[in-house]
């Protein structure tokens, strides 16, 4: 939601447009919820793992070359990269699901992802709309104010839905205090 602001804060005004690439690339994070690599290797899927990466790289190179040749779109190249990465992940999760004789949907907590993502996006887009349309600030203050307002709102949402983030954060805070 704030990708262009993050790019400006980190790298300067010239990089504002790279926020779109950042947003596209972040989609992959929804598919890396579980650590599939070590699990795949632990169940004897080394050859499958290597083959998926080899064929994935070949497909990626071919699709990106075609995108450059036919469309000349940097955004399309980024989208192809994300699709190929998600494809590799799905193939590996499929192998793991088949090994354990379960559905691939059992490996990806879709309900929880949607239960957290949709309200988070609604809150963030609403905050962005309010802050950008009613206050004139530089990117860093926008990010700070949004963060300060977002955290309590999202915390209230997770409490309402019965998701206990305090249980996750408390052990981390105890380690930091040491």
């Amino acid at each position: 939601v704030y990708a262009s602001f993050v790019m400006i804060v980190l790298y300067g005004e010239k990089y504002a447009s790279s926020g779109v690439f950042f947003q596209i690339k972040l989609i992959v994070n929804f598919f890396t919820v579980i650590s599939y690599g070590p699990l795949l290797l632990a169940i004897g899927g080394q050859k499958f793992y290597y083959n998926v990466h080899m064929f994935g790289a070949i497909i990626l190179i071919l699709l990106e070359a075609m995108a450059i040749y036919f469309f000349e779109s940097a955004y399309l190249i980024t989208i192809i990269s994300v699709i190929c990465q998600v494809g590799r992940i799905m193939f590996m999760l499929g192998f793991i699901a088949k090994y354990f004789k379960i559905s691939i949907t059992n490996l990806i907590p879709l309900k929880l992802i949607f239960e957290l993502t949709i309200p988070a996006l609604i809150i963030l887009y609403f905050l962005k709309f309010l802050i950008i349309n009613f206050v004139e600030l530089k990117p860093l203050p926008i990010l700070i104010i949004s963060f300060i307002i977002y955290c309590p709102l999202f915390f209230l949402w997770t409490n309402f839905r019965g998701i206990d983030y305090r249980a996750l954060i408390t052990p981390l805070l105890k380690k930091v205090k040491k």
Side-chain angles (χ1 to χ4, degrees), residues 10 16 35 37 49 57 80 142 153 173:
L10 293 176
S35 183
Y49 180 86
I80 289 170
I142 289 173
L153 290 175
L173 293 176

Side-chain angles (χ1 to χ4, degrees), residues 60-77 80:
L60 175 66
I61 291 167
L62 291 173
L63 288 175
E64 286 183 346
M66 290 187 331
I68 291 168
Y69 183 77
F70 292 114
F71 300 104
E72 298 180 18
S73 169
Y75 297 125
L76 183 58
I77 292 168
I80 289 170

